[in-house]
Amino acid sequence: MPRITFITPDGKSIEVDAPLGLSVMEIAHRNDIDLEGACEGSLACSTCHVIVDPAWYNRLQPPKEDEEDMLDLAFGLTRTSRLGCQIVITPELDGLTVTLPTATRDMRLG
């Protein structure tokens, strides 16, 4: 089974199993990793924002326009930012490393 490493905002490294077909957000939730995902993966928020390790970024499928629009609202946006709900685990992503940002911003809350 593939594995994924989450780096917490305080620098702690958490490596977990990453079942094929699940999103990074779903994997985080299954392992009690603090990645919000307020819209539950419907591309209506940016709270599942993760920062992909630069060595892995170009191995991902390119973001779609809807994801890019939501990323514009993310706190702490970087050039390797992605939404965790949109990264689906494939065998090629075994070893993926993502960092959780220090904060999130849910624009749905006024």
Side-chain angles (χ1 to χ4, degrees):
M1 175 177 302
R3 306 271 296 163
I4 182 173
T5 300
F6 291 91
I7 309 296
T8 65
D10 64 359
K12 181 180 175 186
S13 180
I14 304 169
E15 186 176 343
V16 297
D17 287 335
L20 296 175
L22 289 185
S23 72
V24 167
M25 181 190 73
E26 291 169 314
I27 294 163
H29 291 175
R30 284 187 176 197
N31 289 280
D32 296 320
I33 294 169
D34 192 19
L35 182 62
E36 189 173 335
C39 76
E40 299 178 357
S42 65
L43 276 174
C45 74
S46 62
T47 60
C48 67
H49 166 230
V50 295
I51 301 163
V52 178
D53 184 286
W56 285 94
Y57 187 79
N58 288 327
R59 300 183 200 185
L60 303 177
Q61 293 293 319
K64 295 186 170 112
E65 186 175 345
D66 288 345
E67 180 182 358
E68 289 178 340
D69 289 345
M70 284 296 107
L71 280 169
D72 287 341
L73 306 175
F75 179 86
L77 189 67
T78 74
R79 67 174 190 81
T80 63
S81 290
R82 291 292 303 266
L83 296 181
C85 68
Q86 298 301 300
I87 303 171
V88 177
I89 298 300
T90 63
E92 297 76 25
L93 295 181
D94 183 21
L96 176 66
T97 299
V98 299
T99 299
L100 306 178
T102 56
T104 62
R105 179 184 306 148
D106 188 352
M107 297 305 285
R108 298 173 312 143
L109 304 174

